[in-house]
Amino acid sequence: AFYQRKRDLFRAGLARTRLVPLASAGSYFQCVDYSAVSDASEVDFCQWLTREIGVAAIPLSVFYRDGLEQRLARFCFAKKDETLALALERLARI
């Protein structure tokens, strides 16, 4: 219930962004499709997001031996509500 509330909070905030959330259950990670935002590789997009926007994300391609590119990034929502609110505010600007 604790993480479900955080997931729901984060997903609701993502509705104000151009990132498209994928289904997420039984996890404290939320994957998003960022193809409406950028054509960059997953690694490049996540590095840009961290450096320029101030929100860290994990590229899914690093979990594949061949570096499968799908324009997906993974966010951890196991954070304080204030941290999630700040991240969502920043994500809404891109």
Side-chain angles (χ1 to χ4, degrees):
F2 177 81
Y3 287 113
Q4 183 175 347
R5 186 190 68 74
K6 290 194 173 287
R7 182 200 63 202
D8 294 347
L9 173 75
F10 193 67
R11 284 182 64 89
L14 286 173
R16 298 188 324 260
T17 75
R18 298 188 311 162
L19 303 171
V20 179
L22 295 130
S24 173
S27 173
Y28 46 84
F29 292 104
Q30 175 63 61
C31 293
V32 299
D33 179 330
Y34 66 82
S35 59
V37 175
S38 174
D39 291 328
S41 73
E42 293 177 7
V43 169
D44 289 346
F45 177 76
C46 289
Q47 287 177 345
W48 171 83
L49 197 63
T50 302
R51 288 184 182 128
E52 302 299 323
I53 306 302
V55 178
I58 303 159
L60 262 62
S61 60
V62 301
F63 295 105
Y64 293 90
R65 179 188 299 184
D66 63 356
L68 177 67
E69 289 285 338
Q70 304 174 82
R71 291 198 192 131
L72 299 177
R74 181 170 97 155
F75 296 101
C76 178
F77 55 77
K79 309 285 182 189
K80 294 179 184 177
D81 288 357
E82 299 81 19
T83 302
L84 294 175
L86 180 58
L88 289 163
E89 178 184 312
R90 292 175 179 180
L91 292 172
R93 290 189 231 143
I94 60 172

